[in-house]
């Protein structure tokens, strides 16, 4: 059986970074509730294109919840109302017929809007470039089990590595802080033997890059953890706080 | 050296200094509370304690100056953090929902902090820089009871007591977030201990608030029933 709904969308439209931007209202009809949120936007965009209007620009790639490209604030929540879900994996059955849905881009000084719902997350790439790598001898792949790793650390590192860098943490944070992202990227390497060589440098350089990019300061409100589609834990932030202090006070 | 300078400039460094100064202020608060509770032992014990403290001067000035510095550092850094945080979101959301992770205490930090600093100024004028042997210290029997009398008279006024109690509740809210926040900022986080720390944070805040507030309530009850 096909269930369809109609919605009123209020979407942020902004031509370019320098444009002031404003909300536009659109009515969408016949939305199949088994569509994803992005498919619903596709339907609207087709209609806009046919009518000769500019389609709404939004980021996406895998549409499988693994790449981290998609994301918007939907009715005040990063990636919409469903916990631990990216926008591409959010389905329209989460909405009721005649709902009004407000769609806004991530808002942060570190994420300038490029167009409509698309923001520039280059700041995240620059944080990674500041220390989110390891130095290894390249060559043939090493034997998988020749480097013993404590089970607990392997689990924690793996959990941190689940971060897809979508930016929902920054978007949800009342201070637009990038501590959850940065701490996940640091933890995922610093917990493993391969990350030890640059462990101290890494935390210092990545934290200072994060500050430089204009993100806010963490005030331990934990909105980030609640908004994260991969449920990255704020314990990573605690680990980063500790490692940063230790790196600064060790001679 | 530049290592340390960049620590003080970094977001984490600033937060950690806020946390350390916050911890010092908590220790001060606990000491202050212990002193206040001597009020229940009567005028003689209370005034003796107050005299003992002031007899420690001038050496005590060093401690008081240190406390002032701690206060100023805590305040200026939090003010700069709050301002930076406002600037880090240039355009606000039209609709923003909280996931309910933010407790009331957390949201209110800058406000409860501001109430606290206003309170501290008022409190010093009220009980510290005041004539402890003048009219204000005279109780109903016509005798001067020193600082005990000053405090007693102040609290017989319900508005005065009310403001004092509001300030103590602000302190409670501030500490409810502050103590557990200290742990996170310093990097203690564990699935076992974090919930425990949050409980300790809450209970410490409640006990401190109620203990401080009990004194004006006690005075009011005694005054109204006499
Ligand atoms: C009796 C006095 C005070 C005590 C015991 C106290 C204690 C604390 C503690 C323990 C923290 C937590 C630090 C952390 O996040 O790890 C804190 C944070 C904070 N304090 Fe205070 N404080 C006091 C007075 C003040 C005053 C007078 C102000 C402001 C005018 C203030 C403003 C703040 C703010 C805004 C934060 C949050 C900072 C952030 O989360 O980024 N506090 N305080
Ligand atoms: S499009 Fe890849 S995570 Fe949503």
């Amino acid at each position: 059986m096909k269930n369809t709904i109609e919605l009123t969308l209020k979407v942020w439209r902004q031509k370019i970074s320098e444009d002031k931007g404003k909300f536009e209202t659109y009515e969408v009809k016949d939305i199949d509730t088994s569509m994803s949120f992005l498919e619903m936007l596709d339907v609207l965009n087709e209609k806009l294109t046919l009518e000769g209007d500019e389609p709404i620009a939004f980021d996406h790639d895998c549409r499988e919840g693994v790449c981290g490209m998609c994301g918007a604030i939907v009715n005040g929540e990063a990636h919409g109302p469903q916990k631990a879900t990216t926008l591409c994996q959010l389905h329209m059955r989460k909405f009721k017929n005649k709902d009004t849905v407000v769609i806004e881009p991530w808002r942060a000084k570190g994420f300038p809007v490029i167009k409509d719902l698309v923001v520039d997350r280059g700041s995240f790439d620059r944080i990674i470039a500041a220390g989110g790598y390891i130095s290894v001898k390249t060559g043939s792949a090493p034997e998988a089990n020749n480097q013993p790793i404590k089970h607990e650390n392997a689990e924690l590192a793996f959990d941190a590595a689940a971060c897809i860098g979508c930016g929902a943490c920054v978007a949800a944070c009342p201070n637009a802080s990038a501590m959850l992202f940065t701490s996940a990227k640091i933890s995922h390497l610093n917990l493993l033997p391969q990350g030890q060589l640059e462990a101290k440098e890494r935390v210092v350089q990545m934290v200072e890059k994060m500050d430089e990019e204009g993100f806010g300061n963490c005030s331990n409100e934990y909105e980030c953890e609640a908004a994260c589609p991969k449920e990255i834990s704020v314990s990573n932030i605690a680990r980063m706080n500790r490692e940063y202090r230790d790196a600064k006070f060790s001679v | 050296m530049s290592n340390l300078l960049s620590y003080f400039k970094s977001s984490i460094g600033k937060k950690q200094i806020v946390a350390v100064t916050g911890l010092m202020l908590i220790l001060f608060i606990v000491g202050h509370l212990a002193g206040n509770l001597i009020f229940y032992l009567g005028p003689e014990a209370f005034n003796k304690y107050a005299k003992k403290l002031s007899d420690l001067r001038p050496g005590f000035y060093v401690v008081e100056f240190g406390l002032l510095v701690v206060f100023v550092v805590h305040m200026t850094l939090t003010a700069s953090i709050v301002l930076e945080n406002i600037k880090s979101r240039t355009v606000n959301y039209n609709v923003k929902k909280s996931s309910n992770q933010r407790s009331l205490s957390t949201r209110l930090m800058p406000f409860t902090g501001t109430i606290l600093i206003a309170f501290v100024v008022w409190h010093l004028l009220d009980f510290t820089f005041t004539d402890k042997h003048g009219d204000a210290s005279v109780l109903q029997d016509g005798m001067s009871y020193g600082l005990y009398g000053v405090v007693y008279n102040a609290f017989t006024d319900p508005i005065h007591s009310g403001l004092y109690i509001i300030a103590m509740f602000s302190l409670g809210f501030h500490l409810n977030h502050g103590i557990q926040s200290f742990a996170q900022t310093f990097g203690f986080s564990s699935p076992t201990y974090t919930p425990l720390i949050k409980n300790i944070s809450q209970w410490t805040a409640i006990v401190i608030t109620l203990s401080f507030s009990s004194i004006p309530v006690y005075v009011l009850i005694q005054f109204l029933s006499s």
Side-chain angles (χ1 to χ4, degrees), chain A residues 38 60-70 86-88 164:
Chain A
L38 299 189
H60 62 106
D61 190 9
C62 70
R63 298 207 177 193
E64 292 181 335
V66 295
C67 76
M69 275 309 277
C70 65
T86 55
L87 197 58
C88 59
I164 53 176

Side-chain angles (χ1 to χ4, degrees), chain A residues 27-225:
Chain A
E27 306 290 337
V28 287
K29 292 198 172 63
D30 284 331
I31 297 297
D32 191 323
T33 50
S34 43
M35 275 182 192
S36 76
F37 196 85
L38 299 189
E39 283 169 326
M40 182 274 294
L41 288 179
D42 290 339
V43 169
L44 172 61
N45 274 347
E46 260 172 49
K47 185 173 151 240
L48 290 177
T49 310
L50 285 175
E51 289 168 356
D53 288 330
E54 183 85 5
I56 298 160
F58 62 88
D59 253 332
H60 62 106
D61 190 9
C62 70
R63 298 207 177 193
E64 292 181 335
V66 295
C67 76
M69 275 309 277
C70 65
I73 297 283
V74 176
N75 285 344
E77 290 179 281
H79 291 297
Q82 190 169 326
K83 238 185 107 55
T85 308
T86 55
L87 197 58
C88 59
Q89 291 291 295
L90 175 69
H91 285 87
M92 295 314 292
R93 61 182 83 95
K94 272 276 156 187
F95 297 88
K96 289 198 300 289
N97 196 25
K98 311 257 182 205
D99 269 358
T100 297
V101 182
V102 182
I103 312 171
E104 303 174 68
W106 293 163
R107 296 282 188 203
K109 192 170 150 204
F111 287 166
V113 173
I114 297 174
K115 183 174 178 161
D116 299 339
L117 304 174
V118 180
V119 298
D120 179 358
R121 284 169 289 188
S123 47
F124 270 16
D125 297 334
R126 292 186 288 274
I127 293 172
I128 296 283
Y133 50 80
I134 57 167
S135 303
V136 286
K137 227 162 74 193
T138 54
S140 57
E143 178 59 40
N145 286 325
N146 73 358
Q147 203 153 28
I149 299 173
K150 226 169 81 186
H151 175 73
E152 195 197 338
N153 281 9
E155 290 288 339
L156 290 170
F158 194 75
D159 287 348
C163 168
I164 53 176
C166 63
C169 45
V170 173
C173 174
N175 311 323
S177 163
M179 294 276 279
L180 192 63
F181 166 79
T182 309
S183 68
K185 294 303 174 195
I186 293 171
S187 284
H188 127 227
L189 299 174
N190 279 15
L191 281 163
L192 298 175
Q194 291 88 338
Q196 293 316 301
L197 193 58
E198 298 104 342
K200 276 185 188 164
E201 258 170 69
R202 175 175 303 117
V203 64
V204 169
Q205 288 167 3
M206 288 177 75
V207 165
E208 289 172 6
K209 190 69 188 172
M210 169 188 82
D211 287 346
E212 203 184 297
E213 292 288 345
F215 293 106
N217 306 282
C218 176
S219 46
N220 303 336
E221 318 221 10
Y222 310 147
E223 286 284 310
C224 51
E225 183 183 84

Side-chain angles (χ1 to χ4, degrees), chain B residues 17-28 62-78 117:
Chain B
I17 298 164
V18 167
V20 174
T21 49
L23 184 71
M24 290 174 179
L25 291 173
I26 292 170
L27 295 179
F28 156 72
V62 178
V63 178
E64 286 175 325
F65 181 73
L67 189 61
L68 180 70
V69 171
V70 167
F71 246 110
V72 170
V73 169
H74 187 83
M75 257 172 35
T76 38
L77 281 184
T78 50
I117 197 63

Side-chain angles (χ1 to χ4, degrees), chain B residues 16-204:
Chain B
Q16 290 180 342
I17 298 164
V18 167
V20 174
T21 49
L23 184 71
M24 290 174 179
L25 291 173
I26 292 170
L27 295 179
F28 156 72
I29 293 280
V30 171
H32 194 312
L33 176 61
N36 287 14
L37 293 177
I38 298 177
F39 191 86
Y40 287 117
L41 299 179
E44 230 163 276
F46 189 67
N47 288 337
K48 213 167 102 194
Y49 164 73
K51 184 162 179 330
K52 231 189 215 150
L53 276 190
S54 59
D55 281 351
L56 290 175
R57 291 192 174 101
F60 201 51
Y61 282 130
V62 178
V63 178
E64 286 175 325
F65 181 73
L67 189 61
L68 180 70
V69 171
V70 167
F71 246 110
V72 170
V73 169
H74 187 83
M75 257 172 35
T76 38
L77 281 184
T78 50
S80 104
I81 286 174
V82 168
L83 288 179
E84 276 176 14
N85 288 349
I86 293 171
K87 274 195 252 158
S88 65
R89 178 160 287 132
T90 28
V91 181
N92 280 323
Y93 292 112
N94 200 46
V95 183
K96 186 76 189 81
K97 237 186 242 152
S98 164
S99 60
N100 291 330
Q101 292 265 330
R102 301 174 77 191
S103 67
L104 191 63
S105 312
T106 307
R107 285 169 215 229
L108 292 179
M109 283 312 263
F111 305 102
T112 50
T114 309
I115 293 178
L116 285 177
I117 197 63
F119 169 75
V120 168
V121 174
W122 178 57
H123 187 64
L124 288 175
L125 294 175
D126 216 16
F127 296 146
T128 305
F129 304 116
T130 180
D131 179 6
K132 293 172 189 96
H133 304 284
D135 288 347
S137 67
V138 178
L139 294 188
Q140 279 151 316
D141 60 4
M143 306 227 299
S144 167
Y145 283 85
L147 182 62
Y148 182 92
V150 173
V151 172
Y152 191 98
N153 279 330
F155 287 155
T156 55
D157 175 5
I159 295 176
H160 206 125
S161 288
L163 288 176
Y164 185 91
I165 291 170
I166 290 174
M168 292 307 104
F169 273 78
S170 301
L171 177 64
F173 277 105
H174 205 81
L175 293 185
N176 180 28
H177 172 83
I179 299 171
Q180 54 90 17
S181 186
F182 174 88
Q184 168 80 1
T185 304
F186 257 80
F188 310 112
S189 174
S190 95
T192 340
Y193 294 114
T194 300
L196 186 72
I197 292 172
K198 286 191 178 168
N199 270 333
I200 292 174
S201 190
Q202 195 168 12
W203 282 106
T204 313

